[in-house]
Amino acid sequence: MTLYEAILARRSVRTFSGGMLSREEADALMNYAKNVKNPYGLTVNWHFLPAGGKISSPVIVGEPAYITGTVPRTVHAEEAFGYAFEEVLLYALTLGIGSVWIAGTMDRAAFETAVGLTGGELMPCVSPVGKFAEKMSLRESVMRKGVGADNRKPAHELFFDGSFDKPLAVVGTHWLYDALEAVRRAPSAVNRQPWRVIVTPTHAHFYEKKTAGYERNGMDLQKIDLGIALCHFDLAAKDRGVSLTFGITDPGIPHPSDVFYVASYKFV
């Protein structure tokens, strides 16, 4: 399974078999994580934590361990973490390891203590890692239904042709449409899908559609979601042999008052 195939196959996993990861699987996951790069050039320090006691989550069943990372408390920390952590979790799936993003349903203080978090760092999210259970727990089924986990906004609400008043016709087999579909499938906090993308003949410009209540613990959780979207777009393009150039230069395109520019990929 490639990382692009993992994007298409992934789902959030909250029910695990209870079995431990092998030493080889855990080592492969952590070694991969240590080599992941993000377009912002920020360093993420990775931590593998055996589950137990307060290293747990009330919405997770049967997890053997957690993975998380810390990033410097600086501008673009959320996007950098979102990009890097999503690539790690996609790689985990290629090993047959399930995961799910967790930002709130945990004892944050316990996790931050376990990784030795300092005042100059952020630990935005964690994820359980383990083998899939044969059947979802009732808890997981109810939670997935509650957030509409299997639903995604239609492309015309997310992607635009040159301006926000012209939805992009996402049809055909061009690599760009595959990359945008990869973005559409990305996970996000409470499945809000806050990314919006304006496509021009040379660029894909990414924006955040802000929703109140997602700025917590000194972080904008929806910027983490934008990092995930950037990761999906980049990995899908690479899978098609397309090289992108990352940049943060606002193109000055008029946008709604609750929408904010984040970053761009140049493809021509």
Side-chain angles (χ1 to χ4, degrees), residues 37-245:
K37 307 297 182 184
N38 64 79
Y40 296 90
L42 296 181
T43 298
V44 181
N45 293 311
W46 301 98
H47 302 269
F48 189 86
L49 305 174
K54 292 185 177 181
I55 304 302
S56 61
S57 168
V59 301
I60 305 300
V61 176
E63 77 280 24
Y66 284 82
I67 187 172
T68 186
T70 60
V71 66
R73 187 185 293 271
T74 187
V75 63
H76 303 307
E78 298 98 322
E79 301 99 297
F81 182 88
Y83 184 107
F85 202 37
E86 177 66 359
E87 183 172 337
V88 170
L89 298 185
L90 289 171
Y91 176 73
L93 183 56
T94 72
L95 301 177
I97 297 170
S99 63
V100 60
W101 285 78
I102 297 177
T105 51
M106 61 176 174
D107 186 331
R108 177 168 287 276
F111 277 87
E112 290 178 347
T113 298
V115 303
L117 191 75
T118 70
E121 297 176 313
L122 295 172
M123 187 201 72
C125 300
V126 306
S127 174
V129 284
K131 297 303 180 66
F132 297 72
E134 291 186 5
K135 184 179 179 181
M136 289 185 193
S137 67
L138 176 61
R139 185 186 312 174
E140 178 171 10
S141 297
V142 170
M143 190 170 184
R144 288 183 65 83
K145 184 176 181 180
V147 300
D150 296 316
N151 301 322
R152 290 293 186 273
K153 295 182 186 297
H156 69 264
E157 293 184 16
L158 302 173
F159 311 128
F160 302 88
D161 186 357
S163 68
F164 277 100
D165 59 4
K166 186 179 179 183
L168 181 69
V170 183
V171 293
T173 58
H174 194 275
W175 73 267
L176 178 60
Y177 303 141
D178 290 338
L180 292 173
E181 177 61 16
V183 170
R184 197 178 74 88
R185 293 179 181 229
S188 59
V190 199
N191 201 25
R192 284 286 184 178
Q193 305 156 65
W195 41 79
R196 300 293 183 268
V197 185
I198 287 187
V199 176
T200 71
T202 58
H203 288 76
H205 300 294
F206 284 72
Y207 295 77
E208 174 191 5
K209 186 179 190 304
K210 277 188 174 290
T211 301
Y214 286 87
E215 294 185 356
R216 307 172 191 170
N217 303 303
M219 296 174 284
D220 180 347
L221 297 183
Q222 292 191 314
K223 282 187 177 178
I224 298 172
D225 297 339
L226 264 294
I228 298 172
L230 290 168
C231 176
H232 278 213
F233 189 86
D234 194 15
L235 292 178
K238 288 176 179 175
D239 188 79
R240 295 296 184 267
V242 176
S243 295
L244 303 175
T245 301

